[in-house]
Amino acid sequence: MMTMMKNTRTMRALQAAAGMIVLAFGWQILSMIFPHYLFPPVPEIISRTVEVLITGSLLVDVLLTAGRIFGGLLGAFALGGILAMVIGQSRTAENFVAPILTFFQGIPALSWVVFAIIWFHGIEFRVLFIMIMTTLPAFTFQILDAFRSMSKDLFEMTMSFRPSRWTLFRFLIVPTIVPGILTAWKVNLGNAARVVVVAELVGATGGVGYQLLRQQQLFDMAGAMAWTLQLVLFVLVVQQVITAIENWALRYRAVSERAM
Amino acid sequence: MSDPVIRFTNVTTVFSRPDGRGDFTAVDRLSFEIAKGEIVAVLGKTGCGKSTMFKIVAGLIEPSAGQARVIGHDPFREFDFFRGKIGIVFQNDRLMPWRTALDNVLLGLQILDSDPKQAEDTARAWLTRLGLSGHETDYPHALSGGMRQRVSIARAFAVDPEILLCDEPFSSLDEMTARDLRTEFVRLVRQTDKTAVFITHQIKEAMDIGDRVLAFHRPARIAYEARLNATTSDSDRQRVHDDIMRVLSAEPAGTEQGV
């Protein structure tokens, strides 16, 4: 069975790599047809990408963006978790808060960028505000859904032992909402990466978004691609870390042999 | 004579219909007493309110009228008083899928803040007693239905409760497994001197387990009561069986569904 799993994983990895190779190959062909300032050759993009990664002064911008993404996501996660718990236990709170969050969800990220620039001075606070406001509704609703999917049977069984609220939270609620939390992180990570770039593009003096703005001003397509790839790589690495955590935390789940 | 461990006095429970069209009565002026050390089997058709009565004893719901007392206390209003005093075996095993067999048995002990080392020894001992030695680290999905129900029985016994409540715990198991577990369960209850309320819809199971059998009509009220013991003759047992059959068959039609 283990060999079968390994073969399946290898096959998936090969298919994914093949897809990327086809994409790179197509780009390379375009670079031969069109001028390099529009479609730079793949080796040049790769060398510029590596250059960012190994040059300390440039890597700082990548780390700055990563920090902003994590800061925003952590803030939204903490606030969203509290809101979800409050809404989950009170219908009145839900009636009050849920429409506000739904309203926020309808506001485009760019509008939040404009609001932040008008309202606040500090760059970091602006970015944090934008990140939280754009990811808070999704975190709240996803954690709330996970909380609401808690088994009534398990709740009654746990309550039969008369736990304190804290014990109930630790032993039942947390394990119940963990899968939902991990999914929320995966979904919001992609959203946050897109939003942070917009926020940095308009209102920051450092970070991947700021660097992208500079490449646009220099009309440097290879540079724009290199900085874009930094963000893509960052998202992919963090997604893999979350998947690894998910595999460990949800190891109790039965896996159908047919599905493998 | 000592006070009864469980006493219901004219307990009535009325629920609102989920679709909002009025109410229905699940328990109707139910009165009975259960003495310490007694095993009482409660019998009735599906939806007769047995489980509602069970949840009242467990303190999970409050009666609409009447008085329910368990060890002299109100199980709903004095919820915390019953910490460690009531163990429950449910119809389905209700094991936490993210906990191993051992951790599931440990749950009640952890909630009661037992000493970790002692709690683990107790949990392991109960798993061994129920024939699950070697399965301590298995997750529920890796266990058979019978094994999972054994884990849930171990979980209920591990906290050493005064009262055991069992809601059709063997109904989803095959007959052979159910029979073995039934025998094991009665032996453990007798050995540990517990008071037990055993809900079932099978007459034979009720008669095999109970010192006393209560047959419910719908909504829950006692329609028939019989005492049984080891000296009850086969002919008397057959008579009780026939009486219960007659009483349950004679239940009026068109009564409300319980919960």
Side-chain angles (χ1 to χ4, degrees), chain A residues 72-92:
Chain A
L73 286 178
L74 279 172
F77 170 64
L79 264 176
I82 293 167
L83 279 176
M85 291 298 121
V86 171
I87 293 172
Q89 292 180 54
S90 159
R91 187 60 70 180
T92 313

Side-chain angles (χ1 to χ4, degrees), chain B residues 117-166:
Chain B
K117 177 73 182 76
Q118 210 172 338
E120 189 175 327
D121 290 346
T122 305
R124 282 184 189 280
W126 273 106
L127 282 176
T128 304
R129 212 162 166 178
L130 281 151
L132 289 167
S133 181
H135 293 281
E136 290 85 352
T137 55
D138 287 349
Y139 284 103
H141 74 77
L143 301 171
S144 69
M147 290 160 98
R148 286 202 295 267
Q149 199 56 291
R150 281 174 195 272
V151 175
S152 79
I153 292 171
R155 180 180 61 197
F157 274 98
V159 295
D160 194 22
E162 290 177 39
I163 300 163
L164 269 167
L165 303 177
C166 309

